[in-house]
Amino acid sequence: MDVTESDLPGVGKRHKVPLGDGRELVIVTHNTGTREVFVRESPDADSEKLLELSDRLARTVGTILEGAYFQPVESEHVETMLSEGTLLEWYAVDEGSPLAGQTLGDAAVGERTGVTVVAVQRDGDVIAGPGPETTIEAGDTLVVVGDRESCEAFEATLLGSAE
Amino acid sequence: MADLLEVGVLFAAVAAVGAVAARLDKSVIPFYILTGIALGPSVAGDLSVAGVAVPSVTASEFVDLGAELGIVFLLFFLGLEFNLDRLLASRSRIGTAGTVDLLVNFGVGLVLGFALFGEALAALLVAGIVYISSSAIITKSLIDLGWIANPEADPMLGTLVYEDLFIAVYLAVAAALVAGGDGLGDAALSVGVALGFIAVLVVAVHVGTPAFERALRTGSNELLVLRAVGVTVLVAGVALAVGVSEAVAAFFVGMGFGSTSQVERLEGLLEPVRDVFAAVFFVWIGLETDPALLPGVAGLVLVAVLVTTPTKLVSGYLGGRTYGLSPRRSARVGLGMVSRGEFSLIIATAALAGAGAGLSTEVAETLYAFTVGYVLVMSVVGTLLMQYSGPFEAFATARFGPG
């Protein structure tokens, strides 16, 4: 695929993108930032204007086309490295989890797995610094801190697959 | 005293006819000039309705200076968007199309000018006036018609770049010759000073990029605009003070700024400044025009229109062919290059400035009225030819084939 760029003195820049079926996408970027998008059915045809976008809108549309903007999160949880070896992780509590319905004190995940639950996300609210009396409910998201081994052990406990 | 009411009338009128031009899908330039003529002393100045004088605009110091700034900013932008590297990169195609355009139109202009005025300097000025196409009108029409995305935009914009560089040198020489007084020695001296000044500016542009970069490096839009305007107008003023065309100086300052990383910000921020003062320039052109002189030059204008419309069609067509375009698209290139506008008027202004020196007052005034009439016709004819290009394209395809 050969994208060609040419200068348009006094106007801006023009990019031509071949679409593979003989058609060509032509994007004129004005110095003002406005983008005009044209399509040419064949090399002989005239350009037909599809749309005109402001600079800002063009960037938004561009990132969506690129797949970077509303990229779905595929993994079950998000993993963030706090420092060498220490992770900050988010775990969803499913309906069938053995921890659902227990208080944090009863679940004693600290002693059993080595992680600390630092927050509970529930219905859009965040319970920061939950105490031993806080009940874990199905549908919660637990924010935990621990090393990788502890986090893996916690995940196993949460899923009921430990030991 | 610059009368605030007069300036208010000027801008309000420009805003109103600008809206009309946009509604009619026509270039604003003839509308602004006609507004200037209508508001001027010869028309509105003598009118009164029920005993109350119709608001008119006299060529006050503000309008004169505003028009001067209009010229400076028009040429500054030309320089800002002019890229020598770009010209050199595609020099063979731009060079061929541009040289054909120059030889055909400038050559015919020289012959025409000599036939109309019978003297060499007037012929040289007429040649410039009929040679240079209007960047402003053509670029706007290209965008409005969507041709900007088509291959025909390339030879058109490329030829405009070639014309711009030529006109920068030409203006310097022409302004020097017009102001040059008597005798070959004086003329040679002023042309020498002008070319020397250009040489200094070219060197400054070439080696000055780091300095320009430093001078323009600021996060504040206000400071950036003030610095750019300050440098441009100061250099243009110095040029004028030493007898060199201020327009050419502004062109080279623009070229110097064009090689910095601030070029896009400058374009965005200074475009409104240019548009405001360019509007004042076109109105001023109208104010300076004595409508009574127009009927006298109608014959000259008619001859020039009939001769120089076909020459642009031919040179544009040939230019399109050197870019490998089909006859249909080449025909469009020809039609698109017909518009003449701001630069022809700037040359006429230079002619008027030299009235009584290099040119006799009578020739200068006739030349000026001729240019106003010529630009009024050619700016309208040019946009119309682009809007109704269909029959011309069909003719080109039928005559020269589809490929």
CSV table of all heavy atoms in Angstrom, one decimal, chain A residues 6-11 13-14 16 24 26 28 30-32 36 38 40 42-49, chain B residues 81 83 86 139 143 145-154 157-158 161 264 267-268 271 328-329 332 393:
chain,number,residue,atom,x,y,z
A,6,SER,N,1.4,14.9,-0.4
A,6,SER,CA,1.9,16.0,-1.2
A,6,SER,C,1.5,17.3,-0.5
A,6,SER,O,0.5,17.4,0.2
A,6,SER,CB,1.3,16.0,-2.6
A,6,SER,OG,0.0,15.7,-2.6
A,7,ASP,N,2.3,18.3,-0.7
A,7,ASP,CA,2.1,19.6,-0.1
A,7,ASP,C,1.1,20.4,-1.0
A,7,ASP,O,1.2,20.3,-2.2
A,7,ASP,CB,3.4,20.4,-0.1
A,7,ASP,CG,4.3,20.0,1.1
A,7,ASP,OD1,3.7,20.0,2.2
A,7,ASP,OD2,5.4,19.6,0.9
A,8,LEU,N,0.3,21.1,-0.4
A,8,LEU,CA,-0.6,22.0,-1.1
A,8,LEU,C,-0.3,23.4,-0.6
A,8,LEU,O,-0.8,23.9,0.4
A,8,LEU,CB,-2.1,21.7,-0.8
A,8,LEU,CG,-2.5,20.3,-1.2
A,8,LEU,CD1,-3.9,20.0,-0.6
A,8,LEU,CD2,-2.5,20.0,-2.7
A,9,PRO,N,0.6,24.2,-1.3
A,9,PRO,CA,1.0,25.5,-0.8
A,9,PRO,C,-0.2,26.4,-0.6
A,9,PRO,O,-1.1,26.5,-1.5
A,9,PRO,CB,1.9,26.0,-2.0
A,9,PRO,CG,2.2,24.8,-2.8
A,9,PRO,CD,1.1,23.8,-2.6
A,10,GLY,N,-0.2,27.0,0.6
A,10,GLY,CA,-1.3,27.9,0.9
A,10,GLY,C,-2.6,27.2,1.4
A,10,GLY,O,-3.5,27.8,1.9
A,11,VAL,N,-2.6,25.9,1.3
A,11,VAL,CA,-3.8,25.1,1.8
A,11,VAL,C,-3.4,24.2,2.9
A,11,VAL,O,-3.9,24.3,4.0
A,11,VAL,CB,-4.4,24.3,0.6
A,11,VAL,CG1,-5.6,23.5,1.1
A,11,VAL,CG2,-4.8,25.2,-0.5
A,13,LYS,N,-1.9,19.9,3.4
A,13,LYS,CA,-1.3,18.7,2.9
A,13,LYS,C,-2.4,17.8,2.4
A,13,LYS,O,-3.6,17.9,2.8
A,13,LYS,CB,-0.6,18.0,4.0
A,13,LYS,CG,0.9,18.4,4.2
A,13,LYS,CD,1.5,17.4,5.1
A,13,LYS,CE,3.0,17.7,5.4
A,13,LYS,NZ,3.6,18.9,4.8
A,14,ARG,N,-2.0,16.9,1.4
A,14,ARG,CA,-3.0,16.0,0.9
A,14,ARG,C,-2.4,14.6,1.0
A,14,ARG,O,-1.2,14.4,0.6
A,14,ARG,CB,-3.3,16.3,-0.6
A,14,ARG,CG,-4.2,15.3,-1.2
A,14,ARG,CD,-4.6,15.7,-2.6
A,14,ARG,NE,-3.4,15.8,-3.5
A,14,ARG,CZ,-3.4,16.5,-4.6
A,14,ARG,NH1,-4.4,17.2,-5.0
A,14,ARG,NH2,-2.3,16.6,-5.3
A,16,LYS,N,-3.1,10.5,-0.1
A,16,LYS,CA,-3.9,9.6,-1.0
A,16,LYS,C,-3.7,8.2,-0.5
A,16,LYS,O,-2.6,7.7,-0.4
A,16,LYS,CB,-3.6,9.8,-2.4
A,16,LYS,CG,-4.0,11.2,-3.0
A,16,LYS,CD,-3.9,11.2,-4.5
A,16,LYS,CE,-2.4,11.5,-4.9
A,16,LYS,NZ,-2.3,11.8,-6.3
A,24,GLU,N,-9.8,5.3,-4.3
A,24,GLU,CA,-8.8,6.0,-3.5
A,24,GLU,C,-9.4,7.0,-2.5
A,24,GLU,O,-10.4,7.6,-2.8
A,24,GLU,CB,-8.0,6.8,-4.6
A,24,GLU,CG,-6.6,7.3,-4.1
A,24,GLU,CD,-5.9,7.9,-5.2
A,24,GLU,OE1,-6.4,8.8,-5.9
A,24,GLU,OE2,-4.7,7.5,-5.4
A,26,VAL,N,-8.9,10.3,-0.4
A,26,VAL,CA,-8.1,11.5,-0.4
A,26,VAL,C,-8.4,12.3,0.8
A,26,VAL,O,-9.6,12.6,1.0
A,26,VAL,CB,-8.4,12.3,-1.7
A,26,VAL,CG1,-7.4,13.5,-1.8
A,26,VAL,CG2,-8.2,11.4,-2.9
A,28,VAL,N,-7.6,15.8,2.7
A,28,VAL,CA,-6.9,17.1,2.6
A,28,VAL,C,-6.9,17.7,4.0
A,28,VAL,O,-8.0,17.9,4.6
A,28,VAL,CB,-7.7,18.1,1.6
A,28,VAL,CG1,-7.1,19.5,1.7
A,28,VAL,CG2,-7.6,17.5,0.2
A,30,HIS,N,-6.2,20.9,6.0
A,30,HIS,CA,-6.0,22.3,5.9
A,30,HIS,C,-5.0,22.8,7.0
A,30,HIS,O,-4.9,22.2,8.0
A,30,HIS,CB,-7.3,23.0,5.9
A,30,HIS,CG,-8.2,22.8,4.8
A,30,HIS,ND1,-8.4,23.7,3.8
A,30,HIS,CD2,-8.9,21.7,4.4
A,30,HIS,CE1,-9.2,23.2,2.9
A,30,HIS,NE2,-9.5,22.0,3.3
A,31,ASN,N,-4.4,23.9,6.7
A,31,ASN,CA,-3.5,24.5,7.7
A,31,ASN,C,-4.3,24.9,9.0
A,31,ASN,O,-3.7,24.9,10.1
A,31,ASN,CB,-2.9,25.8,7.2
A,31,ASN,CG,-1.8,25.5,6.1
A,31,ASN,OD1,-1.2,24.4,6.1
A,31,ASN,ND2,-1.7,26.4,5.1
A,32,THR,N,-5.6,25.1,8.8
A,32,THR,CA,-6.4,25.4,10.0
A,32,THR,C,-6.7,24.2,10.8
A,32,THR,O,-7.2,24.3,11.9
A,32,THR,CB,-7.8,25.9,9.5
A,32,THR,OG1,-8.3,25.0,8.6
A,32,THR,CG2,-7.7,27.2,8.8
A,36,GLU,N,-10.7,17.5,5.2
A,36,GLU,CA,-11.7,17.1,4.2
A,36,GLU,C,-11.4,15.7,3.7
A,36,GLU,O,-10.3,15.4,3.3
A,36,GLU,CB,-11.7,18.1,3.0
A,36,GLU,CG,-12.4,19.5,3.4
A,36,GLU,CD,-12.4,20.3,2.1
A,36,GLU,OE1,-11.4,20.9,1.7
A,36,GLU,OE2,-13.5,20.4,1.6
A,38,PHE,N,-12.3,12.8,0.9
A,38,PHE,CA,-12.9,12.6,-0.4
A,38,PHE,C,-12.7,11.1,-0.8
A,38,PHE,O,-11.8,10.5,-0.3
A,38,PHE,CB,-12.2,13.4,-1.5
A,38,PHE,CG,-12.3,14.9,-1.3
A,38,PHE,CD1,-11.4,15.6,-0.4
A,38,PHE,CD2,-13.2,15.7,-2.0
A,38,PHE,CE1,-11.4,16.9,-0.3
A,38,PHE,CE2,-13.2,17.1,-1.8
A,38,PHE,CZ,-12.3,17.7,-1.0
A,40,ARG,N,-12.3,8.8,-4.4
A,40,ARG,CA,-12.3,8.9,-5.9
A,40,ARG,C,-12.5,7.4,-6.4
A,40,ARG,O,-11.8,6.5,-6.1
A,40,ARG,CB,-10.9,9.4,-6.4
A,40,ARG,CG,-10.9,10.9,-6.4
A,40,ARG,CD,-9.5,11.4,-6.8
A,40,ARG,NE,-9.1,11.0,-8.1
A,40,ARG,CZ,-7.9,11.1,-8.6
A,40,ARG,NH1,-6.9,11.3,-7.7
A,40,ARG,NH2,-7.6,10.8,-9.8
A,42,SER,N,-12.3,6.1,-9.4
A,42,SER,CA,-11.3,5.6,-10.3
A,42,SER,C,-10.3,6.7,-10.5
A,42,SER,O,-10.6,7.9,-10.2
A,42,SER,CB,-11.9,5.1,-11.6
A,42,SER,OG,-12.3,6.3,-12.3
A,43,PRO,N,-9.1,6.4,-11.1
A,43,PRO,CA,-8.2,7.5,-11.3
A,43,PRO,C,-8.7,8.6,-12.2
A,43,PRO,O,-8.3,9.8,-12.1
A,43,PRO,CB,-7.0,6.8,-12.0
A,43,PRO,CG,-7.1,5.4,-11.6
A,43,PRO,CD,-8.6,5.1,-11.4
A,44,ASP,N,-9.7,8.3,-13.1
A,44,ASP,CA,-10.2,9.3,-14.0
A,44,ASP,C,-11.3,10.1,-13.3
A,44,ASP,O,-11.6,11.2,-13.8
A,44,ASP,CB,-10.8,8.6,-15.2
A,44,ASP,CG,-9.7,8.0,-16.1
A,44,ASP,OD1,-8.5,8.4,-15.9
A,44,ASP,OD2,-10.0,7.1,-16.8
A,45,ALA,N,-11.9,9.6,-12.3
A,45,ALA,CA,-13.1,10.2,-11.7
A,45,ALA,C,-12.7,11.4,-10.9
A,45,ALA,O,-11.5,11.6,-10.5
A,45,ALA,CB,-13.9,9.2,-10.8
A,46,ASP,N,-13.7,12.3,-10.6
A,46,ASP,CA,-13.4,13.4,-9.8
A,46,ASP,C,-13.6,13.0,-8.3
A,46,ASP,O,-14.3,12.1,-8.0
A,46,ASP,CB,-14.4,14.6,-10.1
A,46,ASP,CG,-14.0,15.3,-11.4
A,46,ASP,OD1,-12.7,15.3,-11.6
A,46,ASP,OD2,-14.8,15.7,-12.1
A,47,SER,N,-13.0,13.7,-7.5
A,47,SER,CA,-13.1,13.4,-6.0
A,47,SER,C,-14.5,13.8,-5.5
A,47,SER,O,-15.0,14.9,-5.9
A,47,SER,CB,-12.0,14.2,-5.2
A,47,SER,OG,-10.8,13.9,-5.8
A,48,GLU,N,-15.1,12.9,-4.8
A,48,GLU,CA,-16.4,13.3,-4.2
A,48,GLU,C,-16.2,13.5,-2.7
A,48,GLU,O,-15.6,12.6,-2.0
A,48,GLU,CB,-17.4,12.2,-4.4
A,48,GLU,CG,-18.0,12.2,-5.8
A,48,GLU,CD,-18.9,10.9,-5.9
A,48,GLU,OE1,-19.8,10.7,-5.1
A,48,GLU,OE2,-18.6,10.2,-6.9
A,49,LYS,N,-16.6,14.6,-2.2
A,49,LYS,CA,-16.4,14.9,-0.8
A,49,LYS,C,-17.3,14.0,0.1
A,49,LYS,O,-18.5,14.0,-0.1
A,49,LYS,CB,-16.7,16.4,-0.5
A,49,LYS,CG,-16.3,16.8,0.8
A,49,LYS,CD,-16.1,18.3,0.9
A,49,LYS,CE,-16.3,18.9,2.2
A,49,LYS,NZ,-16.1,20.3,2.2
B,81,GLU,N,4.3,30.5,3.2
B,81,GLU,CA,3.9,29.2,2.6
B,81,GLU,C,4.8,28.8,1.4
B,81,GLU,O,4.5,27.8,0.8
B,81,GLU,CB,2.4,29.3,2.2
B,81,GLU,CG,1.5,29.3,3.4
B,81,GLU,CD,0.1,29.8,3.1
B,81,GLU,OE1,-0.1,30.2,2.0
B,81,GLU,OE2,-0.7,29.7,4.0
B,83,ASN,N,8.0,27.4,-0.1
B,83,ASN,CA,9.1,26.5,0.4
B,83,ASN,C,10.0,26.2,-0.7
B,83,ASN,O,9.7,25.5,-1.7
B,83,ASN,CB,8.4,25.2,0.9
B,83,ASN,CG,9.4,24.3,1.6
B,83,ASN,OD1,10.6,24.3,1.2
B,83,ASN,ND2,9.0,23.6,2.6
B,86,ARG,N,10.7,22.6,-1.5
B,86,ARG,CA,9.6,21.9,-2.2
B,86,ARG,C,9.7,22.3,-3.7
B,86,ARG,O,9.5,21.4,-4.5
B,86,ARG,CB,8.3,22.5,-1.6
B,86,ARG,CG,7.1,21.9,-2.1
B,86,ARG,CD,5.9,22.7,-1.6
B,86,ARG,NE,5.8,22.7,-0.1
B,86,ARG,CZ,5.3,23.7,0.6
B,86,ARG,NH1,4.8,24.7,0.0
B,86,ARG,NH2,5.2,23.6,1.9
B,139,THR,N,-6.8,29.6,-5.1
B,139,THR,CA,-6.8,28.6,-4.0
B,139,THR,C,-8.2,28.4,-3.4
B,139,THR,O,-8.6,27.3,-3.1
B,139,THR,CB,-5.8,29.1,-2.9
B,139,THR,OG1,-4.5,29.3,-3.5
B,139,THR,CG2,-5.7,28.0,-1.8
B,143,ILE,N,-10.6,25.0,-3.3
B,143,ILE,CA,-11.2,24.3,-2.2
B,143,ILE,C,-12.7,24.3,-2.3
B,143,ILE,O,-13.3,23.2,-2.1
B,143,ILE,CB,-10.8,25.1,-0.9
B,143,ILE,CG1,-9.3,25.0,-0.7
B,143,ILE,CG2,-11.6,24.6,0.3
B,143,ILE,CD1,-8.8,26.0,0.4
B,145,LEU,N,-14.6,24.1,-5.0
B,145,LEU,CA,-15.1,23.2,-6.0
B,145,LEU,C,-14.6,21.7,-5.7
B,145,LEU,O,-15.0,20.8,-6.4
B,145,LEU,CB,-14.5,23.6,-7.3
B,145,LEU,CG,-15.0,24.9,-7.9
B,145,LEU,CD1,-14.2,25.3,-9.2
B,145,LEU,CD2,-16.5,24.8,-8.2
B,146,GLY,N,-13.8,21.5,-4.7
B,146,GLY,CA,-13.3,20.2,-4.4
B,146,GLY,C,-12.2,19.7,-5.3
B,146,GLY,O,-11.7,18.6,-5.2
B,147,TRP,N,-11.7,20.6,-6.2
B,147,TRP,CA,-10.6,20.2,-7.1
B,147,TRP,C,-9.3,20.0,-6.3
B,147,TRP,O,-8.4,19.4,-6.8
B,147,TRP,CB,-10.4,21.3,-8.2
B,147,TRP,CG,-11.5,21.4,-9.2
B,147,TRP,CD1,-12.7,20.8,-9.1
B,147,TRP,CD2,-11.5,22.2,-10.4
B,147,TRP,NE1,-13.4,21.2,-10.2
B,147,TRP,CE2,-12.7,22.0,-11.0
B,147,TRP,CE3,-10.6,23.1,-10.9
B,147,TRP,CZ2,-13.1,22.7,-12.2
B,147,TRP,CZ3,-10.9,23.7,-12.1
B,147,TRP,CH2,-12.1,23.5,-12.7
B,148,ILE,N,-9.3,20.5,-5.1
B,148,ILE,CA,-8.1,20.5,-4.3
B,148,ILE,C,-7.6,19.0,-4.1
B,148,ILE,O,-6.5,18.7,-3.9
B,148,ILE,CB,-8.3,21.2,-3.0
B,148,ILE,CG1,-7.0,21.4,-2.2
B,148,ILE,CG2,-9.2,20.4,-2.0
B,148,ILE,CD1,-6.2,22.6,-2.8
B,149,ALA,N,-8.6,18.1,-4.1
B,149,ALA,CA,-8.3,16.7,-3.9
B,149,ALA,C,-7.9,16.0,-5.3
B,149,ALA,O,-7.6,14.8,-5.3
B,149,ALA,CB,-9.5,15.9,-3.3
B,150,ASN,N,-8.0,16.7,-6.4
B,150,ASN,CA,-7.8,16.1,-7.7
B,150,ASN,C,-6.4,16.4,-8.2
B,150,ASN,O,-5.7,17.3,-7.7
B,150,ASN,CB,-8.8,16.7,-8.7
B,150,ASN,CG,-10.2,16.2,-8.5
B,150,ASN,OD1,-10.4,15.2,-7.8
B,150,ASN,ND2,-11.2,17.0,-8.9
B,151,PRO,N,-5.9,15.6,-9.2
B,151,PRO,CA,-4.6,15.8,-9.7
B,151,PRO,C,-4.4,17.2,-10.3
B,151,PRO,O,-3.2,17.7,-10.3
B,151,PRO,CB,-4.4,14.8,-10.8
B,151,PRO,CG,-5.5,13.8,-10.5
B,151,PRO,CD,-6.6,14.5,-9.8
B,152,GLU,N,-5.4,17.9,-10.8
B,152,GLU,CA,-5.2,19.2,-11.4
B,152,GLU,C,-4.7,20.3,-10.4
B,152,GLU,O,-4.2,21.3,-10.8
B,152,GLU,CB,-6.5,19.7,-12.2
B,152,GLU,CG,-7.7,19.9,-11.3
B,152,GLU,CD,-8.6,18.6,-11.4
B,152,GLU,OE1,-8.1,17.5,-11.6
B,152,GLU,OE2,-9.8,18.7,-11.2
B,153,ALA,N,-4.9,20.0,-9.1
B,153,ALA,CA,-4.5,21.0,-8.1
B,153,ALA,C,-3.0,21.1,-8.2
B,153,ALA,O,-2.4,22.2,-7.9
B,153,ALA,CB,-5.0,20.6,-6.7
B,154,ASP,N,-2.3,20.1,-8.5
B,154,ASP,CA,-0.8,20.1,-8.4
B,154,ASP,C,-0.1,21.1,-9.4
B,154,ASP,O,0.7,21.9,-9.0
B,154,ASP,CB,-0.2,18.7,-8.5
B,154,ASP,CG,-0.7,17.8,-7.4
B,154,ASP,OD1,-0.6,18.2,-6.3
B,154,ASP,OD2,-1.2,16.7,-7.7
B,157,LEU,N,-1.1,24.8,-8.3
B,157,LEU,CA,-0.4,25.3,-7.1
B,157,LEU,C,1.1,25.4,-7.4
B,157,LEU,O,1.7,26.3,-6.9
B,157,LEU,CB,-0.7,24.4,-5.9
B,157,LEU,CG,-2.1,24.4,-5.4
B,157,LEU,CD1,-2.4,23.3,-4.3
B,157,LEU,CD2,-2.5,25.8,-4.8
B,158,GLY,N,1.6,24.4,-8.1
B,158,GLY,CA,3.0,24.5,-8.5
B,158,GLY,C,3.3,25.7,-9.3
B,158,GLY,O,4.3,26.4,-9.0
B,161,VAL,N,3.4,28.8,-7.2
B,161,VAL,CA,4.6,29.0,-6.4
B,161,VAL,C,5.7,29.6,-7.3
B,161,VAL,O,6.5,30.5,-6.9
B,161,VAL,CB,5.1,27.6,-5.9
B,161,VAL,CG1,6.5,27.6,-5.4
B,161,VAL,CG2,4.1,27.1,-4.8
B,264,GLU,N,3.0,26.7,11.5
B,264,GLU,CA,1.6,26.4,11.5
B,264,GLU,C,0.9,27.3,12.5
B,264,GLU,O,-0.2,27.8,12.2
B,264,GLU,CB,1.4,24.9,11.8
B,264,GLU,CG,1.4,24.1,10.6
B,264,GLU,CD,1.7,22.7,10.8
B,264,GLU,OE1,1.6,22.2,11.9
B,264,GLU,OE2,2.1,22.0,9.8
B,267,GLU,N,0.6,30.7,10.9
B,267,GLU,CA,-0.5,30.8,9.9
B,267,GLU,C,-1.9,30.9,10.5
B,267,GLU,O,-2.7,31.7,10.1
B,267,GLU,CB,-0.4,29.5,9.0
B,267,GLU,CG,0.6,29.6,7.9
B,267,GLU,CD,0.8,28.3,7.2
B,267,GLU,OE1,0.1,27.3,7.5
B,267,GLU,OE2,1.6,28.3,6.2
B,268,GLY,N,-2.1,30.1,11.5
B,268,GLY,CA,-3.4,30.1,12.2
B,268,GLY,C,-3.7,31.5,12.8
B,268,GLY,O,-4.8,32.0,12.8
B,271,GLU,N,-3.6,34.7,10.0
B,271,GLU,CA,-4.5,34.7,8.9
B,271,GLU,C,-5.6,35.8,9.1
B,271,GLU,O,-5.9,36.6,8.1
B,271,GLU,CB,-5.2,33.3,8.7
B,271,GLU,CG,-5.7,33.1,7.3
B,271,GLU,CD,-6.2,31.7,7.1
B,271,GLU,OE1,-7.2,31.3,7.9
B,271,GLU,OE2,-5.7,31.0,6.3
B,328,ARG,N,-8.8,16.6,-20.4
B,328,ARG,CA,-9.9,17.2,-19.6
B,328,ARG,C,-9.4,17.9,-18.4
B,328,ARG,O,-9.7,19.1,-18.1
B,328,ARG,CB,-10.9,16.0,-19.1
B,328,ARG,CG,-12.1,16.5,-18.4
B,328,ARG,CD,-13.0,15.4,-18.2
B,328,ARG,NE,-12.6,14.5,-17.1
B,328,ARG,CZ,-13.0,14.6,-15.9
B,328,ARG,NH1,-13.8,15.6,-15.5
B,328,ARG,NH2,-12.6,13.7,-15.0
B,329,ARG,N,-8.5,17.3,-17.6
B,329,ARG,CA,-7.9,17.9,-16.4
B,329,ARG,C,-7.0,19.1,-16.8
B,329,ARG,O,-7.0,20.1,-16.1
B,329,ARG,CB,-7.2,16.9,-15.6
B,329,ARG,CG,-8.1,15.8,-15.0
B,329,ARG,CD,-7.4,15.1,-13.8
B,329,ARG,NE,-8.2,14.0,-13.4
B,329,ARG,CZ,-9.3,14.2,-12.6
B,329,ARG,NH1,-9.7,15.4,-12.2
B,329,ARG,NH2,-10.0,13.1,-12.2
B,332,ARG,N,-8.9,22.1,-17.2
B,332,ARG,CA,-9.2,22.7,-15.9
B,332,ARG,C,-8.1,23.6,-15.4
B,332,ARG,O,-8.3,24.6,-14.8
B,332,ARG,CB,-9.5,21.6,-14.9
B,332,ARG,CG,-10.9,21.1,-15.0
B,332,ARG,CD,-11.2,20.2,-13.8
B,332,ARG,NE,-12.4,19.5,-13.9
B,332,ARG,CZ,-12.8,18.6,-13.0
B,332,ARG,NH1,-12.0,18.3,-12.0
B,332,ARG,NH2,-14.0,18.0,-13.2
B,393,GLU,N,-14.2,21.3,-20.7
B,393,GLU,CA,-13.6,19.9,-20.5
B,393,GLU,C,-14.1,19.0,-21.7
B,393,GLU,O,-13.3,18.2,-22.2
B,393,GLU,CB,-14.1,19.3,-19.2
B,393,GLU,CG,-13.5,20.1,-18.0
B,393,GLU,CD,-14.1,19.6,-16.7
B,393,GLU,OE1,-14.4,18.4,-16.6
B,393,GLU,OE2,-14.2,20.4,-15.7
